[in-house]
Amino acid sequence: MSGIGTESNDPLPSPPEEQQATTGLDKDEEDLHQRKEEDSKGKGEMSDRVSGQNGEPKTDDQNPTVSQVYTATKMTLLPKSPHVKTHALVNEISFLSYTFLFNYISKKKSTICEKCNVALPVFSLQDQDQLVILYGGTNVAVMYDQTSNSQHVLQGHSSPISCLCVSEDRRWLVTADRGQESLVIIWDSFSGIPVRTLFDSHPEGGVAVLALSKDSKYLDFLICSQRVCIWDWTNETEDPLCVTDLNQEYGFQNHIIFNPNDITQLLSNSESQVLFYTRDKQHLDYIAPELLDKTFNKVVGMLSQSVFHWRGLQALSATSAGNLVLWDMVRASSTSRPLVRRAVKLIPLQKDGITVLTLTDSFIVTGDTLGHVKFYDENFKLISWYSEFNLDPITSISFSKEVPPNSSQGYLKDCTLEAKMFVIRNFVLSTVSSTVVHVNAQGGVLQTLLREHCEALHAVACHPQQPVVAMGSHSGILKVWDYERKVSICSRVFEKERHIQCIAYDPQGFYLAVGFASGSVHVLDACTLLSEAEERFNFSQDCITHITFSPDSLYLATAVSRHTIMQRWKYLGRHHSHYKPIRDLLFGVYLDSTQPRLLSLGMDRRLVEYDLQNSKVKDELLILSSERIEQSAVPTCMAWYPPLTTEDFLLTASDLYKMKLFNSTTKMCRKTLLGPTYGSPVEKMAMLPFSKDHDPSAHYMAYITNDKVGVQILPIDGNPHKSSALICHPTGVSAMACSYDSRYVFTAGGSDCTVLSWEISLNALEAAASLGGKELIPFYSLLDGGRDGELFREMEDFFYYCQLRNQGIDSMEMRQVSTRIPLAEVPFVMRALGFFPTEQELEDMQNEVKFSRYAESGRYVTDIDLEEFIKLYVNHRPAFGISRKELLHTFQVLGDSYVMGEPVVNKNELLELLQDRGEHMTENELAECFTTLVGLNSEGGGPELGAFECDDAEDVLESEIPEEISMETFASDILGFPIYIKEILHSSQEGMLSPSGSEVA
């Protein structure tokens, strides 16, 4: 499908600020369809938009009401005017343009297609009145105005951007990604509005390279599956004009370009092959002329980029050996009349490998591995070069659209014998080391626009009292920024340790602790980033994964995989407290005291507290307590819960999308709640600091998942409308930090070398929560069928049946009907609804209700009403059903053999595991469960597990369960899921299975 913007009153596709819910919330299919509907409302022809002189849009005299695209000028977008924030998180100042995000240069990074290994280019949009460039990173592109230090973020993709291009007049920008639901979006550079979106046009893996024709009418893109498509994006066609599939033997084509003199001709190249295309109406044919070392009896080298010569017939290809391959039209033989394209000459242009090849005016321009830019005339004679910039290998060169002035005053002289003035356009170039520079040709002035991290960036921290954010990367660069003024305050490069893994400010903001992958720790002055020799610690050879200060700044704790290291400005001790990696490390204070306390949370499901008061001896860190807080879920993070109740709570999150509140003293689980369910569980969370601009009684939490950042209204109660999330780093978020005034959340993208800033709009978050409904309305929506569905009616029936059972089923006396049931009946209602909690989960439910009012009244709660039960059920039941992948993995782990290619589990081993491991079951209990599941127990099981009487339990288990249990038998015959093993093994979808056999989102 495709969508198109309008020319009159029909709404254009939503601006980037209004698309964030589409690209961020994890309701991907619903949001994608909504975008398609909005985007397909346009009915105007886009061809008129690009037919004006210099790309200026034509006005419509007959229709005075025109869209923003038609009224926009190049000064419309920047600086951006204030607007009403309609989303809880706004990528208001993505630090793309302030060098906080810069991942598109290094070929190791995620935005580079793994097959074609092509870096995203940087484009010069204008450089006279304003110096504006375009570049991309993660899932956004940025128009950065260096003159005013402002930016506009083009946000519409939910997957990493794989390529981008601009029209010759710089009016139209094109971005594409390579995700599962990949998009191609055409943007108006004057207004920042997306004017056309191509949906579902390349499901085979996304777009690898893009090209626009000289008249900007035709868009050509090459899909990662090696399919070339040409679109006339200026009309409403739903399909490309022509499509052709390439032979895989020609290698992955990583560069494509239109012939500027003939839009029916194109070329592309891989590292070893150049393809020439000819379009004839709806057909696209190509030829692959031979090019080998034996063609010229010389080493050709790997091909980097190719261009058409401005004369049209010839073409040029640059190689890693410093050669230029000249392609021309020749006759196939002396007797044949048709012309074919062949490599006719190999020109040894220079010794160093050529990485970039382009044309400007009458010059051939190259960028090479030494960071030099050279200019040649049409006869391949060197005219001038720039070699004094001391740059790394060049990855892109983009010349300004503004022609140089008539006067040659101030220009450098060329290297010819005549020493003429070398008059060229200004240009922007980028390097593999994440550097972008602007070259003013009039005087040869070099201006560095961006110079930033070129390796993984995992560390980010905010100053506790100032608008300052610090970030560190594996390149050893530590930078501190003023995020309000958008200027760098100070920086430091660590040459020895290099790989910065985590950083943290102390609560007073005087010190900045830096943890390295080498295991060393530096404590720096927060203002100067300098450190003394005695403030460097190296007591581990493993990577520092977590680092934190105590509230009084006296203690510094670090986590090294399974170890916890405690430092009181001098090394105190460490302890191997977990047998699996530590997921979080947290300082706090004891109740009614200022004494610090330290806790660690591990993937071994244990919450460990350390005895700081008695750990006085060097190299001795004592453990105060170690509690197992989960049975099957793996905890991911923890945080101190705000003082919303009289109790002091510790909040934890797990990989099963649950959050739990633990009493900070007794470590008892006091509440289990449904957490955000945006595609992946919560990985890190932090309470937003108190802000004088907000209601003092209101509390909020920021969190990150695998690829999203979100905010949550407290108290947490399982209401899904009290949370909002957006995609921030499609390849994964590694760290998060909150500003001291609760206005911003900063996220680090790890491998994408990214730090993004997200402005928080709490008013928008509260408004969204209000629209979701009050009291039980949000929870009804979490039940199948809602308030009027069958599940709710079953709840009512079971609820009142419990009252009858407690008063005696056979009683003829007057019934006392109420709205509450005894707490002891909760397990049976849960099981009747198809949720079978473990004994530990049942105990947690009982405690949650029993102690819900104990702190206020001093009394236990012994019954529960229907509304409270619905919340209990929604929060405790699994967030999703049984996944096919999970079922397959379980059988692969438990099974020791295969039958007909399917994993099977031995019956005796399964029964032994059920009786001896985990929560033990007796043989009678096993017999009761299995006979009930297979339908042999006419009563459907007893009211209490273990009340089932069976003298021959062993015989029942022996006769009713096969010796070898396959997945199909277990799923369909025992659990009642009508699924087939082949469907599980070969399905690419990871759907969820419910007892009815239907898939659950």
Side-chain angles (χ1 to χ4, degrees):
M1 292 183 63
S2 63
I4 189 168
T6 66
E7 299 184 19
S8 56
N9 292 330
D10 290 359
L12 282 159
S14 301
E17 302 88 33
E18 299 177 8
Q19 290 186 2
Q20 294 187 19
T22 302
T23 61
L25 294 178
D26 197 51
K27 301 176 181 178
D28 294 332
E29 294 185 2
E30 179 181 349
D31 291 338
L32 187 60
H33 288 308
Q34 182 179 359
R35 282 191 61 188
K36 292 179 182 180
E37 293 175 1
E38 293 177 355
D39 212 27
S40 61
K41 293 180 180 179
K43 301 177 181 178
E45 292 290 335
M46 190 64 68
S47 58
D48 288 341
R49 298 184 181 180
V50 297
S51 62
Q53 185 178 5
N54 295 326
E56 297 293 336
K58 289 185 176 181
T59 57
D60 190 349
D61 296 333
Q62 297 180 353
N63 186 3
T65 305
V66 294
S67 70
Q68 297 180 42
V69 174
Y70 280 84
T71 58
T73 67
K74 64 181 181 180
M75 302 298 293
T76 299
L77 188 62
L78 301 169
K80 189 166 56 177
S81 58
H83 59 276
V84 177
K85 297 179 178 62
T86 58
H87 299 284
L89 288 164
V90 180
N91 194 188
E92 188 70 17
I93 49 171
S94 162
F95 293 105
L96 284 149
S97 63
Y98 309 115
T99 69
F100 284 30
L101 187 154
F102 202 87
N103 69 319
Y104 53 89
I105 295 298
S106 176
K107 295 184 179 181
K108 301 177 182 178
K109 302 305 175 282
S110 59
T111 54
I112 311 306
C113 180
E114 295 176 356
K115 296 180 179 179
C116 60
N117 201 30
V118 176
L120 292 180
V122 180
F123 291 103
S124 172
L125 299 184
Q126 61 186 86
D127 67 354
Q128 287 187 344
D129 299 331
Q130 290 174 297
L131 176 51
V132 183
I133 62 174
L134 171 77
Y135 56 93
T138 66
N139 61 326
V140 297
V142 169
M143 298 173 62
Y144 171 43
D145 184 354
Q146 194 275 341
T147 306
S148 63
N149 196 26
S150 57
Q151 68 177 9
H152 183 83
V153 180
L154 306 179
Q155 189 171 7
H157 295 274
S158 58
S159 300
I161 291 179
S162 57
C163 50
L164 68 161
C165 67
V166 301
S167 62
E168 186 168 328
D169 58 19
R170 307 299 196 269
R171 179 66 194 270
W172 312 108
L173 319 175
V174 187
T175 59
D177 63 56
R178 54 182 176 87
Q180 293 182 348
E181 295 178 342
S182 50
L183 306 174
V184 175
I185 304 177
I186 297 93
W187 310 80
D188 171 34
S189 67
F190 287 0
S191 63
I193 294 176
V195 295
R196 178 78 186 266
T197 302
L198 304 179
F199 296 96
D200 304 328
S201 57
H202 42 284
E204 301 89 351
V207 178
V209 286
L210 284 168
L212 274 172
S213 60
K214 185 175 182 179
D215 61 2
S216 305
K217 184 177 181 181
Y218 296 102
L219 173 65
D220 172 71
F221 53 80
L222 195 148
I223 301 173
C224 287
S225 61
Q226 292 298 273
R227 172 176 296 176
V228 179
C229 306
I230 297 180
W231 288 74
D232 181 359
W233 69 273
T234 62
N235 60 38
E236 296 180 353
T237 56
E238 299 290 333
D239 300 308
L241 293 178
C242 49
V243 177
T244 186
D245 292 315
L246 305 181
N247 194 325
Q248 299 294 329
E249 70 180 26
Y250 298 137
F252 197 91
Q253 303 293 302
N254 52 34
H255 178 76
I256 196 165
I257 191 172
F258 275 93
N259 188 336
N261 301 304
D262 186 355
I263 60 176
T264 64
Q265 294 185 6
L266 304 92
L267 70 77
S268 68
N269 71 262
S270 64
E271 292 184 348
S272 59
Q273 182 68 60
V274 179
L275 303 180
F276 294 90
Y277 307 82
T278 302
R279 179 173 62 88
D280 181 15
K281 295 182 179 179
Q282 296 182 348
H283 298 282
L284 183 66
D285 300 318
Y286 69 92
I287 60 172
E290 184 181 69
L291 177 62
L292 302 171
D293 289 346
K294 66 179 182 180
T295 305
F296 300 103
N297 292 322
K298 293 181 180 179
V299 175
V300 176
M302 293 186 297
L303 301 174
S304 54
Q305 291 186 355
S306 303
V307 295
F308 282 100
H309 195 276
W310 52 78
R311 292 181 177 176
L313 294 179
Q314 295 179 327
L316 304 170
S317 295
T319 77
S320 60
N323 298 322
L324 271 188
V325 180
L326 178 63
W327 305 86
D328 205 350
M329 302 294 292
V330 298
R331 296 188 184 280
S333 65
S334 58
T335 58
S336 62
R337 300 185 62 183
L339 297 177
V340 296
R341 199 177 295 272
R342 284 185 178 175
V344 297
K345 193 172 185 179
L346 183 67
I347 306 169
L349 207 61
Q350 58 186 61
K351 295 181 180 180
D352 306 303
I354 301 174
T355 56
V356 178
L357 177 65
T358 185
L359 304 177
T360 178
D361 299 327
S362 59
F363 298 106
I364 301 169
V365 187
T366 65
D368 58 36
T369 55
L370 292 183
H372 300 168
V373 180
K374 299 180 180 180
F375 295 81
Y376 301 85
D377 64 9
E378 59 181 321
N379 296 317
F380 310 108
K381 293 181 179 180
L382 182 62
I383 302 300
S384 185
W385 70 90
Y386 292 87
S387 60
E388 69 279 5
F389 295 156
N390 193 27
L391 298 174
D392 292 317
I394 308 296
T395 55
S396 71
I397 302 175
S398 176
F399 286 88
S400 171
K401 68 176 181 179
E402 291 88 0
V403 297
N406 295 328
S407 172
S408 60
Q409 183 178 1
Y411 284 88
L412 303 178
K413 295 181 180 180
D414 62 26
C415 61
T416 62
L417 293 177
E418 295 83 359
K420 299 178 181 178
M421 289 295 175
F422 184 57
V423 181
I424 59 169
R425 303 169 190 249
N426 299 338
F427 59 94
V428 170
L429 56 86
S430 59
T431 74
V432 296
S433 60
S434 301
T435 300
V436 174
V437 299
H438 175 264
V439 179
N440 189 327
Q442 196 168 14
V445 179
L446 178 80
Q447 181 182 8
T448 301
L449 303 181
L450 302 172
R451 176 176 290 159
E452 199 45 39
H453 308 275
C454 59
E455 295 188 33
L457 199 161
H458 293 283
V460 61
C462 287
H463 195 281
Q465 299 174 6
Q466 300 174 8
V468 169
V469 61
M471 60 199 68
S473 70
H474 280 192
S475 58
I477 300 175
L478 177 65
K479 279 199 172 184
V480 180
W481 281 80
D482 184 325
Y483 54 78
E484 288 188 345
R485 295 188 295 122
K486 307 176 185 66
V487 295
S488 175
I489 299 175
C490 56
S491 64
R492 178 176 174 180
V493 179
F494 294 88
E495 298 289 349
K496 184 178 179 181
E497 291 88 354
R498 282 181 57 83
H499 292 181
I500 299 175
Q501 190 67 26
C502 52
I503 57 178
Y505 280 99
D506 80 293
Q508 282 74 40
F510 297 142
Y511 301 100
L512 179 64
V514 183
F516 294 85
S518 63
S520 63
V521 176
H522 287 214
V523 180
L524 314 178
D525 183 281
C527 297
T528 64
L529 299 186
L530 299 178
S531 60
E532 300 294 336
E534 61 270 14
E535 294 174 350
R536 301 176 185 177
F537 309 97
N538 192 1
F539 297 100
S540 174
Q541 300 299 319
D542 298 325
C543 175
I544 304 294
T545 58
H546 299 80
I547 190 166
T548 181
F549 282 93
S550 62
D552 56 8
S553 299
L554 294 179
Y555 291 93
L556 173 64
T558 61
V560 185
S561 185
R562 304 170 192 178
H563 298 265
T564 300
I565 299 176
M566 189 66 197
Q567 297 166 178
R568 191 171 182 173
W569 296 114
K570 291 184 179 180
Y571 175 67
L572 179 62
R574 61 180 174 179
H575 202 291
H576 190 228
S577 49
H578 298 269
Y579 65 87
K580 286 188 177 182
I582 294 175
R583 294 305 303 265
D584 212 343
L585 192 65
L586 187 64
F587 268 109
V589 294
Y590 289 103
L591 286 175
D592 303 323
S593 172
T594 59
Q595 292 295 326
R597 58 190 302 193
L598 176 65
L599 300 97
S600 62
L601 184 66
M603 291 184 66
D604 55 2
R605 304 180 176 90
R606 304 201 75 86
L607 176 65
V608 177
E609 182 168 2
Y610 303 88
D611 189 356
L612 302 184
Q613 309 306 315
N614 296 317
S615 299
K616 303 297 183 181
V617 182
K618 184 178 180 180
D619 208 13
E620 181 184 44
L621 179 59
L622 304 178
I623 287 182
L624 187 63
S625 65
S626 179
E627 305 284 344
R628 184 181 176 92
I629 63 171
E630 296 284 358
Q631 282 187 301
S632 57
V634 176
T636 56
C637 56
M638 61 180 173
W640 292 111
Y641 202 59
L644 300 174
T645 64
T646 54
E647 289 186 79
D648 190 32
F649 287 125
L650 179 69
L651 178 66
T652 67
S654 72
D655 65 339
L656 296 184
Y657 300 89
K658 299 295 183 180
M659 290 187 168
K660 290 186 176 182
L661 289 174
F662 291 89
N663 184 284
S664 63
T665 302
T666 64
K667 308 297 193 308
M668 176 189 290
C669 179
R670 290 281 286 99
K671 211 162 198 178
T672 300
L673 303 155
L674 178 66
T677 54
Y678 295 113
S680 57
V682 172
E683 296 289 339
K684 297 181 187 296
M685 55 187 174
M687 303 302 158
L688 293 183
F690 172 75
S691 175
K692 61 182 180 180
D693 299 330
H694 303 138
D695 183 0
S697 62
H699 296 270
Y700 305 89
M701 180 185 77
Y703 62 89
I704 55 174
T705 66
N706 179 55
D707 60 348
K708 298 176 181 66
V709 58
V711 286
Q712 169 86 44
I713 300 175
L714 302 179
I716 299 175
D717 57 6
N719 181 353
H721 300 288
K722 294 173 68 174
S723 177
S724 178
L726 292 173
I727 290 179
C728 56
H729 302 273
T731 56
V733 194
S734 60
M736 172 191 68
C738 301
S739 65
Y740 76 102
D741 56 2
S742 300
R743 291 180 56 200
Y744 298 101
V745 175
F746 299 88
T747 57
S751 61
D752 65 10
C753 306
T754 304
V755 169
L756 293 179
S757 170
W758 301 88
E759 186 173 4
I760 303 174
S761 175
L762 298 179
N763 291 333
L765 180 63
E766 292 284 0
S770 298
L771 292 174
K774 298 180 179 180
E775 298 178 350
L776 275 185
I777 294 178
F779 296 92
Y780 289 142
S781 63
L782 298 175
L783 301 176
D784 294 340
R787 177 66 174 78
D788 301 321
E790 181 179 351
L791 179 59
F792 180 79
R793 291 195 297 269
E794 287 184 350
M795 280 187 176
E796 288 184 315
D797 292 342
F798 292 142
F799 211 77
Y800 294 118
Y801 176 76
C802 285
Q803 296 185 28
L804 296 178
R805 196 178 71 165
N806 274 278
Q807 297 176 28
I809 297 295
D810 300 327
S811 174
M812 298 299 293
E813 298 179 2
M814 183 70 68
R815 301 290 183 175
Q816 300 295 325
V817 179
S818 70
T819 60
R820 310 183 71 85
I821 62 172
L823 190 56
E825 297 291 331
V826 168
F828 309 115
V829 182
M830 291 287 183
R831 292 170 183 146
L833 294 171
F835 170 37
F836 299 94
T838 64
E839 295 300 312
Q840 179 62 53
E841 290 172 335
L842 289 175
E843 183 179 348
D844 290 343
M845 291 183 199
Q846 301 271 359
N847 291 336
E848 181 173 327
V849 179
K850 183 178 180 180
F851 294 99
S852 59
R853 300 185 184 92
Y854 186 81
E856 294 82 3
S857 63
R859 296 180 180 179
Y860 297 126
V861 176
T862 58
D863 52 18
I864 186 173
D865 63 16
L866 181 59
E867 293 184 355
E868 293 171 339
F869 178 82
I870 290 175
K871 290 183 179 181
L872 194 70
Y873 171 76
V874 166
N875 283 314
H876 279 265
R877 70 173 181 178
F880 303 102
I882 303 173
S883 70
R884 297 174 173 181
K885 184 177 180 180
E886 181 183 5
L887 191 60
L888 176 61
H889 175 70
T890 301
F891 268 77
Q892 289 174 339
V893 171
L894 297 179
D896 55 1
S897 61
Y898 282 76
V899 176
M900 300 295 290
E902 305 171 10
V904 295
V905 176
N906 181 269
K907 176 184 64 176
N908 294 331
E909 292 181 1
L910 176 62
L911 296 178
E912 183 178 350
L913 286 172
L914 291 173
Q915 293 180 77
D916 297 341
R917 305 290 290 272
E919 295 183 346
H920 308 296
M921 301 179 69
T922 65
E923 198 169 44
N924 273 356
E925 290 172 343
L926 281 176
E928 179 183 3
C929 289
F930 276 103
T931 54
T932 302
L933 285 172
V934 298
L936 296 178
N937 190 347
S938 59
E939 297 183 2
E944 295 183 5
L945 191 62
F948 175 73
E949 296 182 0
C950 182
D951 297 332
D952 54 349
E954 184 176 352
D955 296 336
V956 171
L957 294 174
E958 185 70 27
S959 60
E960 299 301 330
I961 304 176
E963 287 296 327
E964 299 291 342
I965 307 174
S966 66
M967 283 182 57
E968 185 174 358
T969 300
F970 184 77
S972 59
D973 297 344
I974 297 178
L975 297 183
F977 294 158
I979 59 175
Y980 299 93
I981 184 63
K982 293 181 180 179
E983 181 182 1
I984 295 177
L985 292 174
H986 301 293
S987 174
S988 60
Q989 300 177 354
E990 297 180 8
M992 303 297 176
L993 301 174
S994 67
S996 63
S998 60
E999 290 195 5
V1000 185

